[in-house]
Amino acid sequence: MIQPGQTYRSADPRDTHREPIRITAYTPGHARAHVVDAYSGKKFRQILASSLHATATTRDGKPRRTGYVLEPQAKEN
């Protein structure tokens, strides 16, 4: 489930320079999510919600090559 505050990284293995993105707003059922660069908080833009994936693998177990993959959240104690 897409939620504000989540961080995603590019699934493309060639994308070593691209900064992760952070979700700033998303309404469930809408086609787009509002995002910014995760570290700087700048470069506001909208991306397709269908480009955001919970896992780095497809249904078939193959590595994703497109879109963005959810980064694990650090647990706070």
Side-chain angles (χ1 to χ4, degrees):
M1 174 178 232
I2 302 168
Q3 297 178 345
Q6 289 178 324
T7 302
Y8 289 79
R9 65 172 170 79
S10 175
D12 189 336
R14 298 169 295 175
D15 252 345
T16 57
H17 66 281
R18 189 173 295 188
E19 188 171 329
I21 59 172
R22 185 177 70 243
I23 306 297
T24 57
Y26 176 70
T27 303
H30 282 197
R32 296 187 181 270
H34 295 204
V35 302
V36 294
D37 286 347
Y39 302 132
S40 67
K42 296 180 181 180
K43 289 192 193 174
F44 169 83
R45 58 201 180 275
Q46 295 181 30
I47 64 169
L48 291 172
S50 61
S51 296
L52 302 172
H53 307 288
T55 65
T57 56
T58 64
R59 266 182 290 171
D60 301 330
K62 296 179 182 175
R64 290 192 187 279
R65 299 184 57 78
T66 62
Y68 292 86
V69 177
L70 180 64
E71 288 284 309
Q73 301 294 318
K75 291 185 179 181
E76 294 184 26
N77 293 328

